[in-house]
Amino acid sequence: MTGGTNGIGRIAAASLAALGYRLVLIARSEIKAEATRREILQVVADAPIDFFYTDFTRLATVAEAASAIAEKYERIDVLINNAGIHAFEQRVTADGFSEMVSVNYLAPWLLTALLSQRLVASVPSRIVTVASEASRRSRGLNPDIDLYDTSPFTRLGSSVIYGRTKLMDIMFSIELSRRLASSGVTANCLDPGFNVTGLGRELSFAAPLERLLNFLRIGDPNRGAGIIVALATQPRFASVSGGYFSVKDAAPLVPAASGGDVGAQRRLWNATASAVEAFK
């Protein structure tokens, strides 16, 4: 699981530990990882938890982690792509990609591709990707341009870029489900809804706003974590693949117009494969 040391991912990780799963968490910060370990062990004293460290802005480290995970574990029951960031200014990674595109889309795409063989060998297995209804603010998608776009943007304009990365996640998940059809591996994605935890980490007023929203009981992160755990574990989703589900009772969602186009999904897949080829 990626993003298991922050926000809804941290809550989901604790829930999975309570269900008896061995946790393999991919993290960037060793400090946050150890804090997460201590928190989970307070609830599940004997929970097995392993960490692998990567930087999703450096795709070579993603490939290294995937290789180490595939070598260490004979099976992977569930891969959860949860890590994400909403940046309010453009930052370009060492690999030459927009930070949000790298962290929210390219890194999970690469991780999934490199672990797919182990997932197929572990069937029945599942892939769960955290997308968002923010995808409806994407204003469409041109893979040949948008995967490589590093143009500056404002805080207001950041919503379009964030939404575009989440649209990519939806399209990737649906196309992946077709490519894994009949393999025994399912692939689904979800909208976790509005969650207060980790809200706008780059905003100066994020902390007091989070306290206010918690006081008003708005944006309960347990709901977002709950839909992740449901798709990862519940028997009713065991044979479901290619779905996009709402945080509200796991109701099926229809992707934004361009996101549901089969041809567009295939074009995005092929363009992404080319973009990350050097890191495979």
Side-chain angles (χ1 to χ4, degrees):
M1 178 181 186
T2 70
T5 61
N6 285 301
I8 61 175
R10 193 163 176 162
I11 298 171
S15 297
L16 290 165
L19 290 172
Y21 282 85
R22 181 185 191 93
L23 299 181
V24 179
L25 303 182
I26 298 175
R28 180 174 181 176
S29 166
E30 293 189 32
I31 294 174
K32 286 184 178 181
E34 289 309 312
T36 300
R37 187 197 303 276
R38 290 193 299 270
E39 180 180 292
I40 293 173
L41 291 178
Q42 286 177 356
V43 180
V44 185
D46 58 348
I49 310 170
D50 296 332
F51 284 97
F52 290 81
Y53 296 97
T54 70
D55 180 346
F56 271 22
T57 69
R58 296 178 178 271
L59 296 178
T61 71
V62 177
E64 290 168 3
S67 177
I69 290 169
E71 182 176 347
K72 181 170 183 177
Y73 304 100
E74 292 184 359
R75 62 174 296 108
I76 300 173
D77 296 295
V78 185
L79 169 62
I80 301 175
N81 292 312
N82 168 67
I85 184 174
H86 186 148
F88 292 95
E89 63 179 1
Q90 180 68 280
R91 292 187 289 266
V92 181
T93 72
D95 298 327
F97 299 107
S98 168
E99 181 184 39
M100 274 200 283
V101 171
S102 182
V103 173
N104 296 355
Y105 175 65
L106 292 176
W109 192 102
L110 179 61
L111 179 68
T112 303
L114 294 175
L115 292 179
S116 61
Q117 187 174 351
R118 177 67 68 229
L119 283 156
V120 170
S122 305
V123 296
S125 53
R126 309 184 192 191
I127 300 168
V128 177
T129 298
V130 178
S132 174
E133 280 291 81
S135 57
R136 300 192 188 280
R137 297 196 292 270
S138 64
R139 300 177 187 173
L141 176 68
N142 183 334
D144 294 329
I145 294 176
D146 295 327
L147 285 175
Y148 302 96
D149 186 12
T150 56
S151 303
F153 53 75
T154 63
R155 180 176 295 177
L156 182 61
S158 69
S159 293
V160 174
I161 309 303
Y162 176 77
R164 193 168 290 153
T165 64
K166 290 302 177 178
L167 179 63
M168 292 178 186
D169 285 333
I170 295 170
M171 296 170 69
F172 150 64
S173 184
I174 297 173
E175 176 65 18
L176 178 63
S177 72
R178 278 195 296 270
R179 291 173 181 258
L180 293 173
S182 302
S183 70
V185 183
T186 64
N188 292 292
C189 57
L190 63 104
D191 166 47
F194 174 69
N195 295 277
V196 169
T197 305
L199 175 70
R201 292 190 293 266
E202 297 186 21
L203 296 175
S204 60
F205 54 84
L209 178 59
E210 183 171 329
R211 288 193 292 270
L212 174 61
L213 293 174
N214 279 327
F215 175 76
L216 297 173
R217 297 183 179 179
I218 297 173
D220 180 4
N222 289 291
R223 295 172 69 242
I227 181 63
I228 294 173
V229 174
L231 286 173
T233 66
Q234 289 185 3
R236 62 176 168 146
F237 295 111
S239 300
V240 177
S241 193
Y244 173 38
F245 296 94
S246 170
V247 68
K248 299 176 181 177
D249 303 318
L253 290 169
V254 177
S258 58
D261 181 270
V262 174
Q265 293 163 1
R266 188 172 296 115
R267 287 193 295 275
L268 174 61
W269 181 282
N270 292 335
T272 306
S274 295
V276 303
E277 180 62 34
F279 306 99
K280 288 185 178 179

Short mmCIF file of all heavy atoms in Angstrom, two decimals, residues 4-5 7 11 13 34 42 65 69 105 149 158 174 191 194 196-197 199 206 230 240 245 262 266:
data_model
loop_
_atom_site.label_atom_id
_atom_site.label_comp_id
_atom_site.label_asym_id
_atom_site.label_seq_id
_atom_site.Cartn_x
_atom_site.Cartn_y
_atom_site.Cartn_z
N GLY A 4 0.36 5.03 3.08
CA GLY A 4 -0.17 4.46 4.30
C GLY A 4 0.29 5.15 5.57
O GLY A 4 -0.07 4.72 6.67
N THR A 5 1.07 6.22 5.45
CA THR A 5 1.55 6.92 6.65
C THR A 5 0.85 8.26 6.84
O THR A 5 1.18 9.00 7.77
CB THR A 5 3.07 7.16 6.58
OG1 THR A 5 3.37 7.98 5.43
CG2 THR A 5 3.82 5.86 6.49
N GLY A 7 -3.11 10.51 6.41
CA GLY A 7 -4.51 10.63 6.05
C GLY A 7 -5.32 9.35 6.08
O GLY A 7 -5.18 8.51 6.97
N ILE A 11 -5.37 5.37 8.23
CA ILE A 11 -6.54 4.75 8.87
C ILE A 11 -6.83 3.41 8.21
O ILE A 11 -7.11 2.41 8.89
CB ILE A 11 -7.76 5.69 8.76
CG1 ILE A 11 -7.49 6.99 9.50
CG2 ILE A 11 -9.01 5.01 9.31
CD1 ILE A 11 -8.55 8.06 9.27
N ALA A 13 -4.73 1.46 6.69
CA ALA A 13 -3.67 0.51 7.06
C ALA A 13 -3.97 -0.11 8.42
O ALA A 13 -3.83 -1.32 8.61
CB ALA A 13 -2.32 1.21 7.08
N GLU A 34 7.79 5.06 11.09
CA GLU A 34 7.91 4.52 12.45
C GLU A 34 6.77 5.00 13.34
O GLU A 34 6.29 4.26 14.21
CB GLU A 34 9.26 4.89 13.04
CG GLU A 34 10.42 4.14 12.40
CD GLU A 34 10.18 2.63 12.36
OE1 GLU A 34 9.78 2.04 13.39
OE2 GLU A 34 10.38 2.03 11.29
N GLN A 42 -0.16 -0.23 18.73
CA GLN A 42 -0.92 0.06 19.95
C GLN A 42 -2.30 -0.58 19.88
O GLN A 42 -2.91 -0.87 20.92
CB GLN A 42 -1.06 1.58 20.13
CG GLN A 42 0.22 2.25 20.57
CD GLN A 42 0.09 3.77 20.68
OE1 GLN A 42 -0.96 4.34 20.34
NE2 GLN A 42 1.13 4.43 21.14
N ALA A 65 11.94 -0.31 -5.47
CA ALA A 65 11.05 -0.85 -4.43
C ALA A 65 10.21 -2.00 -4.96
O ALA A 65 10.04 -3.02 -4.29
CB ALA A 65 10.14 0.26 -3.90
N ILE A 69 10.18 -5.77 -3.45
CA ILE A 69 8.94 -6.36 -2.95
C ILE A 69 8.66 -7.69 -3.66
O ILE A 69 8.33 -8.70 -3.02
CB ILE A 69 7.76 -5.38 -3.13
CG1 ILE A 69 7.92 -4.19 -2.17
CG2 ILE A 69 6.43 -6.07 -2.91
CD1 ILE A 69 6.97 -3.04 -2.44
N TYR A 105 0.11 9.79 -10.58
CA TYR A 105 -0.22 8.89 -11.70
C TYR A 105 0.94 8.02 -12.18
O TYR A 105 0.84 6.79 -12.19
CB TYR A 105 -0.78 9.69 -12.87
CG TYR A 105 -1.02 8.83 -14.08
CD1 TYR A 105 -1.98 7.81 -14.05
CD2 TYR A 105 -0.27 8.99 -15.24
CE1 TYR A 105 -2.19 6.99 -15.15
CE2 TYR A 105 -0.48 8.18 -16.35
CZ TYR A 105 -1.43 7.18 -16.29
OH TYR A 105 -1.64 6.35 -17.37
N ASP A 149 3.45 18.07 -19.52
CA ASP A 149 3.23 19.50 -19.31
C ASP A 149 3.82 19.95 -17.97
O ASP A 149 3.45 19.44 -16.92
CB ASP A 149 1.73 19.80 -19.34
CG ASP A 149 1.44 21.29 -19.27
OD1 ASP A 149 2.38 22.08 -19.42
OD2 ASP A 149 0.26 21.64 -19.04
N SER A 158 -4.41 25.01 -10.00
CA SER A 158 -3.92 23.69 -9.58
C SER A 158 -5.03 22.65 -9.58
O SER A 158 -4.77 21.45 -9.75
CB SER A 158 -3.31 23.78 -8.17
OG SER A 158 -4.31 24.03 -7.19
N ILE A 174 -9.41 1.35 -15.33
CA ILE A 174 -10.37 0.67 -16.19
C ILE A 174 -9.66 -0.09 -17.31
O ILE A 174 -10.00 -1.24 -17.63
CB ILE A 174 -11.39 1.67 -16.75
CG1 ILE A 174 -12.21 2.28 -15.60
CG2 ILE A 174 -12.33 0.99 -17.76
CD1 ILE A 174 -13.14 3.40 -16.04
N ASP A 191 -13.69 7.00 -5.48
CA ASP A 191 -13.67 8.38 -5.01
C ASP A 191 -13.80 8.35 -3.49
O ASP A 191 -14.82 7.87 -2.98
CB ASP A 191 -14.84 9.16 -5.61
CG ASP A 191 -15.06 10.48 -4.89
OD1 ASP A 191 -14.06 11.19 -4.66
OD2 ASP A 191 -16.23 10.81 -4.54
N PHE A 194 -14.67 13.91 0.30
CA PHE A 194 -13.92 14.98 0.96
C PHE A 194 -13.45 14.50 2.32
O PHE A 194 -14.26 14.06 3.14
CB PHE A 194 -14.79 16.23 1.12
CG PHE A 194 -14.14 17.33 1.92
CD1 PHE A 194 -13.05 18.01 1.41
CD2 PHE A 194 -14.59 17.64 3.19
CE1 PHE A 194 -12.43 19.01 2.15
CE2 PHE A 194 -13.98 18.63 3.94
CZ PHE A 194 -12.90 19.32 3.42
N VAL A 196 -10.98 15.43 5.72
CA VAL A 196 -10.27 16.50 6.41
C VAL A 196 -8.80 16.16 6.63
O VAL A 196 -7.93 17.00 6.49
CB VAL A 196 -10.95 16.79 7.77
CG1 VAL A 196 -10.07 17.72 8.60
CG2 VAL A 196 -12.30 17.43 7.54
N THR A 197 -8.49 14.91 6.94
CA THR A 197 -7.12 14.53 7.28
C THR A 197 -6.15 14.86 6.15
O THR A 197 -6.35 14.45 5.01
CB THR A 197 -7.04 13.03 7.59
OG1 THR A 197 -7.99 12.74 8.61
CG2 THR A 197 -5.66 12.65 8.07
N LEU A 199 -5.66 17.71 4.86
CA LEU A 199 -6.26 18.70 3.98
C LEU A 199 -5.27 19.80 3.61
O LEU A 199 -4.73 20.48 4.48
CB LEU A 199 -7.48 19.32 4.67
CG LEU A 199 -8.19 20.48 3.96
CD1 LEU A 199 -8.91 19.96 2.72
CD2 LEU A 199 -9.17 21.14 4.90
N ALA A 206 -4.23 25.54 6.75
CA ALA A 206 -4.75 24.17 6.72
C ALA A 206 -5.03 23.64 8.13
O ALA A 206 -6.07 23.03 8.38
CB ALA A 206 -3.77 23.25 5.99
N ALA A 230 -13.03 -1.70 1.95
CA ALA A 230 -14.11 -2.50 1.38
C ALA A 230 -13.71 -3.10 0.03
O ALA A 230 -13.88 -4.30 -0.21
CB ALA A 230 -15.37 -1.66 1.24
N VAL A 240 -15.56 -8.37 -8.99
CA VAL A 240 -15.88 -7.10 -9.66
C VAL A 240 -14.59 -6.47 -10.16
O VAL A 240 -13.62 -6.35 -9.41
CB VAL A 240 -16.60 -6.15 -8.70
CG1 VAL A 240 -16.86 -4.81 -9.39
CG2 VAL A 240 -17.91 -6.76 -8.21
N PHE A 245 -16.05 3.54 -7.92
CA PHE A 245 -17.04 3.50 -6.86
C PHE A 245 -16.99 4.74 -5.97
O PHE A 245 -15.94 5.30 -5.69
CB PHE A 245 -16.83 2.26 -6.00
CG PHE A 245 -17.05 0.98 -6.75
CD1 PHE A 245 -15.99 0.31 -7.34
CD2 PHE A 245 -18.32 0.45 -6.91
CE1 PHE A 245 -16.18 -0.87 -8.05
CE2 PHE A 245 -18.53 -0.72 -7.62
CZ PHE A 245 -17.45 -1.38 -8.19
N VAL A 262 -13.08 4.18 -24.33
CA VAL A 262 -12.15 3.05 -24.42
C VAL A 262 -10.91 3.42 -25.24
O VAL A 262 -9.77 3.10 -24.86
CB VAL A 262 -12.84 1.82 -25.03
CG1 VAL A 262 -11.83 0.70 -25.27
CG2 VAL A 262 -13.96 1.34 -24.12
N ARG A 266 -6.96 3.55 -23.91
CA ARG A 266 -5.88 2.81 -24.55
C ARG A 266 -4.75 3.75 -24.96
O ARG A 266 -3.56 3.43 -24.80
CB ARG A 266 -6.42 2.05 -25.76
CG ARG A 266 -5.43 1.09 -26.39
CD ARG A 266 -6.08 0.23 -27.46
NE ARG A 266 -7.11 -0.64 -26.88
CZ ARG A 266 -8.41 -0.54 -27.18
NH1 ARG A 266 -8.83 0.36 -28.04
NH2 ARG A 266 -9.28 -1.36 -26.61
#
